[in-house]
Amino acid sequence: MSAQGKAEQEFQQEYEKAIERIRTMPDGAVGWVLKFLQTELEALTPTEWTLVAFEVAAFVDETGDRYGGMVAPESGWSVEGVPHAKNYQTIPSRKEAQDIQATVLEQLELYWHEGYTAFTFPQMTLVVVSPGSFSDETGTIFVSAKRKAKEFEYRFVHLLAQSGDYIRRCPECAKIYLAIRRDQVYCHPRCQNRVAARKWREAQKTGERKESLHGKKSGKG
């Protein structure tokens, strides 16, 4: 096998591994996105970053059938520091991943506070295939993305529309998590118990202060 062929094979193997990692997350693609949003990208080693970069790229394809239909990219990611990846233009740069993080987190905050959010896609075109055309894709809406990062955001929009009510930020530890119940407030019983214990201690102190003041008043009488 030629060096080019071997590089392509290795690239495809890593890409498939990334898709499998997303699929096997406890909450699937939603769980992976929440983990990605809370990853400190600058702190990753080159090896760790390469794994995340493959996952960012794989998320777009892994969620394609379920979130937002088909996509026809006009150009790929800009590639930095990933061996052989420049031949395929499918791995994001760290800067692109940071921009995605910032955009999605900003829109999540608005969603949590206002109950709605709006994404704009100046680098994206929707392409409709005529329902009556003799094509395997009749009646399909394609997305033509000039930048791959915009396709990521587009996938997230559809994911948010289906799972947004259950994507929450824990008021105790600030972790972003996927709730399993509509009335769930905290990410884990540990946080709930911590809050309950703190409230109990505060109530105890308040009660002791009241008793102390009452005792002083009684003594004066």
Side-chain angles (χ1 to χ4, degrees), residues 35-203:
K35 178 185 175 185
F36 166 70
L37 292 177
Q38 296 170 98
T39 299
E40 190 176 349
L41 299 177
E42 282 291 345
L44 298 177
T45 66
T47 299
E48 292 170 335
W49 160 245
T50 299
L51 293 176
V52 172
F54 270 100
E55 290 172 5
V56 171
F59 169 82
V60 172
D61 292 334
E62 159 57 11
T63 58
D65 293 337
R66 287 168 290 141
Y67 301 115
M70 304 184 72
V71 174
E74 293 181 12
S75 61
W77 306 98
S78 61
V79 183
E80 296 176 6
V82 181
H84 310 301
K86 290 186 178 180
N87 297 325
Y88 314 105
Q89 296 280 303
T90 52
I91 301 298
S93 68
R94 205 178 292 235
K95 176 63 167 60
E96 285 175 319
Q98 289 172 327
D99 289 344
I100 289 171
Q101 268 190 336
T103 299
V104 173
L105 283 170
E106 179 182 347
Q107 296 303 329
L108 266 178
E109 289 289 352
L110 181 61
Y111 184 85
W112 290 329
H113 288 95
E114 304 294 337
Y116 72 93
T117 188
F119 283 72
T120 56
F121 301 104
Q123 296 179 324
M124 185 174 288
T125 303
L126 300 184
V127 181
V128 180
V129 179
S130 170
S133 69
F134 296 99
S135 166
D136 292 338
E137 313 299 344
T138 57
T140 298
I141 297 177
F142 287 85
V143 179
S144 182
K146 294 182 180 178
R147 293 305 307 158
K148 205 68 167 157
K150 292 300 174 184
E151 187 180 340
F152 186 105
E153 294 171 20
Y154 178 73
R155 297 297 187 206
F156 177 76
V157 166
H158 284 271
L159 184 150
L160 188 65
Q162 298 196 22
S163 306
D165 286 349
Y166 290 89
I167 297 175
R168 315 247 174 103
R169 187 189 289 279
C170 179
E172 174 63 12
C173 69
K175 176 183 177 181
I176 303 174
Y177 71 99
L178 187 66
I180 58 175
R181 304 185 313 276
R182 189 171 289 277
D183 62 348
Q184 184 175 343
V185 176
Y186 301 98
C187 66
H188 194 275
R190 283 195 301 270
C191 285
Q192 186 173 0
N193 293 339
R194 195 179 299 127
V195 172
R198 190 163 58 242
K199 288 181 178 178
W200 183 85
R201 288 194 298 271
E202 290 171 356

